[in-house]
Amino acid sequence: MTTNIEKLLGADAKLLEHKCTTIPKETIHAPGPDYVERIYSLSDRPTPVLKSLQSLLSHGRLADTGYMSILPVDQGIEHSAGASFAPNPIYFDPENIVKLALEGGTNAVASTLGVLGAVSRKYAHKIPFILKFNHSELLSYPNTFDQTMYASMKQAYDMGAVAVGATVYFGSTESRRQIWEVSQAFTRAHELGMATILWCYVRNNAFKTAEKDYHVSADLTGQANHLGVTIQADIIKQKLPENNGGYNAIKGLGKTHKLVYEKLTSDNPIDLARYQVANCYMGRAGLINSGGASSGATDLAEAVKTAVINKRAGGMGLISGRKAFQRSMKDGVGILNAIQDVYLDKKVTLA
């Protein structure tokens, strides 16, 4: 299997040989078949939450490996239904979203109250549901990049969801309100026995300079992760880091330390992602990276590369949507399976 991964990586195949000398792998709480018992069971999570986390980790092609492959489809609200589903209109129908997750062998499907509620009685017992309960929306004019509550934890519980998901735009002027809203919702979700996943996105126009977009810098996304685990997100979803040095480039933004750049990170993407894992309490909360937007012909190679970086950094898996659902179902299944193959390949190890 590794041979095919090497072929897809092409010039990036050197990622398979990288050795992380920044944050040693021995200090990371790496995913594994015993992850719930070894890590989550030591926390104050209620027993039903442990059951829900185990159900997430025990479904699909990656069952009982400690890794996750999740299909997320909330873009109909976040980006608009037209922008999201025009490339393949069958996904206007919520049932096809769930079918893609099932046929793609994913651990779970994450979507909106409307999507999951429309088919819950047919599918909630067949694949774990993750209800994404807050969203931005781009129909308000002028556009406001904020997160609005769209569902309650009781609605998630009643439809049979095993987990809930939310986004906080860390760094935005609205972030403190969002942190409190999501913290309270996560507390209630845990009381009801559901696991929690936080989309830890960095968002502020000041974080993008003429030279770089620091929304994907390791230091800023790492701190967003650290804020996310502070409100007891069980799993953190984060964009793959593409650069570093946001704290240094944006004057007046918080505090950092020179050792973050001199010792704890390097320019290697695995080392940058390792810093994200470190900010998830050294892996005591699982890190899943975003699969990113669909680029067309390069999607397969990009998805495999992202999976290799995440796995070798100590992450828990990938959450990939547009690369899968903005093409035929057969090709979407192929993308999801290729991602899963990276986590199933024992030769792709912790760096």
Side-chain angles (χ1 to χ4, degrees):
M1 194 180 294
T2 311
T3 303
N4 189 45
I5 293 172
E6 290 175 346
K7 183 178 179 181
L8 287 168
L9 288 174
D12 291 314
K14 58 183 181 293
L15 290 169
L16 296 170
E17 305 300 327
H18 176 70
K19 182 177 181 181
C20 184
T21 59
T22 53
I23 299 172
K25 64 182 180 181
E26 292 80 11
T27 64
I28 296 294
H29 300 284
D34 63 341
Y35 192 79
V36 171
E37 180 180 356
R38 175 165 47 91
I39 303 299
Y40 290 124
S41 70
L42 304 179
S43 73
D44 62 354
R45 269 70 170 175
T47 301
V49 175
L50 303 181
K51 182 179 179 182
S52 293
L53 286 163
Q54 190 62 62
S55 70
L56 284 171
L57 286 164
S58 297
H59 188 83
R61 292 184 72 224
L62 298 182
D64 303 320
T65 63
Y67 293 105
M68 286 189 185
S69 163
I70 297 173
L71 176 72
V73 187
D74 63 346
Q75 292 86 348
I77 295 178
E78 294 283 347
H79 303 153
S80 91
S84 302
F85 304 134
N88 192 349
I90 68 168
Y91 292 111
F92 277 104
D93 185 338
E95 184 168 11
N96 287 321
I97 292 171
V98 180
K99 282 182 176 179
L100 175 60
L102 273 168
E103 294 185 23
T106 65
N107 295 69
V109 57
S111 196
T112 66
L113 174 66
V115 166
L116 297 180
V119 293
S120 63
R121 284 192 173 88
K122 185 173 182 179
Y123 289 105
H125 58 293
K126 296 179 181 179
I127 184 172
F129 275 14
I130 302 167
L131 174 61
K132 181 72 163 45
F133 63 78
N134 73 352
H135 309 279
S136 182
E137 57 85 22
L138 298 183
L139 189 57
S140 299
Y141 189 82
N143 290 161
T144 299
F145 293 98
D146 195 3
Q147 290 289 315
T148 299
M149 299 287 286
Y150 275 69
S152 71
M153 301 308 97
K154 182 66 161 51
Q155 287 172 301
Y157 177 80
D158 287 344
M159 74 161 57
V162 302
V164 296
T167 297
V168 171
Y169 284 151
F170 291 103
S172 70
T173 55
E174 301 86 4
S175 63
R176 293 190 177 187
R177 190 206 79 241
Q178 294 169 12
I179 289 168
W180 180 244
E181 286 178 350
V182 174
S183 176
Q184 295 301 292
F186 278 4
T187 297
R188 182 57 179 151
H190 277 164
E191 289 173 350
L192 292 170
M194 295 180 291
T196 58
I197 303 174
L198 188 61
W199 277 240
C200 287
Y201 287 168
V202 177
R203 179 64 63 85
N204 192 305
N205 289 335
F207 296 168
K208 187 174 183 179
T209 70
E211 293 76 29
K212 287 184 180 180
D213 184 355
Y214 290 104
H215 289 98
V216 286
S217 71
D219 55 352
L220 298 189
T221 56
Q223 179 61 18
N225 290 357
H226 200 70
L227 294 173
V229 293
T230 299
I231 60 173
Q232 290 201 326
D234 301 317
I235 297 167
I236 297 293
K237 182 203 173 189
Q238 185 56 267
K239 295 181 180 181
L240 199 69
E242 298 177 14
N243 55 56
N244 207 359
Y247 271 108
N248 296 322
I250 303 161
K251 302 305 178 185
L253 175 65
K255 296 182 179 180
T256 188
H257 196 288
K258 64 179 182 179
L259 290 180
V260 171
Y261 315 99
E262 295 175 0
K263 183 179 180 180
L264 301 184
T265 60
S266 77
D267 291 335
N268 189 283
I270 294 173
D271 294 344
L272 296 177
R274 173 68 55 87
Y275 188 71
Q276 289 184 339
V277 173
N279 276 279
C280 295
Y281 295 154
M282 284 294 195
R284 288 185 184 271
L287 171 70
I288 53 177
N289 284 120
S290 171
S294 176
S295 303
T298 61
D299 280 354
L300 180 59
E302 290 172 0
V304 168
K305 178 181 176 181
T306 303
V308 167
I309 292 170
N310 172 271
K311 184 181 182 183
R312 302 214 68 217
M316 180 180 271
L318 228 58
I319 183 163
S320 187
R322 282 170 286 172
K323 281 182 169 62
F325 71 75
Q326 289 188 333
R327 52 184 14 96
S328 72
M329 187 170 291
K330 178 182 178 181
D331 290 344
V333 168
I335 291 273
L336 294 170
N337 288 170
I339 290 168
Q340 295 152 11
D341 287 345
V342 172
Y343 295 97
L344 291 170
D345 195 327
K346 294 182 179 180
K347 292 182 179 179
V348 181
T349 59
L350 199 63

